Amino acid sequence: MHIRKVPGPRTVQLPDGGFLSRGDLPPPTTKRWVASRKAVVVKAVRFGLISLEEACSLYDLTQDEYCSWQTAVARYGESALRATALKKYR
């Protein structure tokens, strides 16, 4: 098995004791953003697995789009990332 060298950590430990690795991230070709995929990207940036710039370039996101996800999670939790919850939480 070949492990590609990447800058930064390969895994980070979350406050709940779990781990998040680069393998847990959604594929870069993701077009359909469900709440769980958004939450993984927010966690990865928050806990230092990837940088904000790397996340934006990898997933073709704007910083405003990512910041809206981060704000929604901080204020209301991961359930606020669901598309059906937009009116309820914003």
Side-chain angles (χ1 to χ4, degrees):
M1 178 167 101
H2 182 284
I3 297 177
R4 190 178 76 198
K5 289 188 178 186
V6 292
R10 288 195 182 117
T11 63
V12 291
Q13 188 169 9
L14 303 175
D16 65 358
F19 288 90
L20 183 66
S21 72
R22 289 185 176 263
D24 296 327
L25 294 173
T29 58
T30 299
K31 297 295 180 202
R32 185 171 181 269
W33 284 98
V34 295
S36 59
R37 291 183 188 138
K38 292 177 187 177
V40 168
V41 173
V42 170
K43 282 182 188 177
V45 173
R46 181 175 176 206
F47 295 109
L49 184 63
I50 59 175
S51 67
L52 173 59
E53 293 78 21
E54 186 179 358
C56 289
S57 67
L58 188 63
Y59 297 113
D60 196 28
L61 302 172
T62 63
Q63 286 192 357
D64 290 338
E65 187 175 14
Y66 171 81
C67 288
S68 71
W69 295 356
Q70 184 180 26
T71 302
V73 170
R75 287 187 184 165
Y76 307 109
E78 292 179 12
S79 62
L81 295 174
R82 287 185 274 176
T84 56
L86 288 175
K87 289 182 182 178
K88 182 177 180 181
Y89 294 112
R90 293 188 184 155

